[in-house]
Structure formats: structure tokens, C-alpha cells
Amino acid sequence: MAKAKVTNISTGPRGAYLDGVLVMAAVGETIEADDFAEEWFAKADSKDAKDAAKSAQA
């Protein structure tokens, strides 16, 4: 996968990889990654990502 800004949309902290290094993200947090599970992360500007960020602040 190409590098992308992704937001954790799951219900807990999750990890993704950037250049082979594990990067952790809290719920609603946006990170840069090139290897991530699509069920846990969404592209940073998507509706799912924005909804996750809102719910993390609640």
C-alpha cells in the first residue's frame, strides 16, 4: 500500500505500520501508515474518520 493519512475508527487503540515500524493510534487519532487493516482505519478525510474523531471526543 502507498503511504496515507488514516484515522483509527475502531473501539480501541490499534496499530499500523509505516516503513516497517509499528505506529499506534488511539480511537479517532490520525496517523500516517502504509500497511493497515481497513476494518480498523479509514482515510483521514472520509466520513467514517470524521465520525470516529467526534465520538472519541465525547
Side-chain angles (χ1 to χ4, degrees):
M1 278 187 230
K3 290 182 185 178
K5 293 225 182 244
V6 293
T7 301
N8 178 352
I9 59 169
S10 74
T11 58
R14 300 290 181 209
Y17 289 91
L18 177 61
D19 296 327
V21 177
L22 179 64
V23 180
M24 296 300 294
V27 176
E29 183 178 5
T30 299
I31 59 172
E32 188 172 14
D34 57 15
D35 185 8
F36 56 91
E38 292 183 0
E39 62 267 19
W40 292 342
F41 291 93
K43 298 289 183 171
D45 293 330
S46 71
K47 181 183 180 318
D48 288 340
K50 291 175 184 172
D51 290 346
K54 285 180 188 174
S55 67
Q57 294 174 353

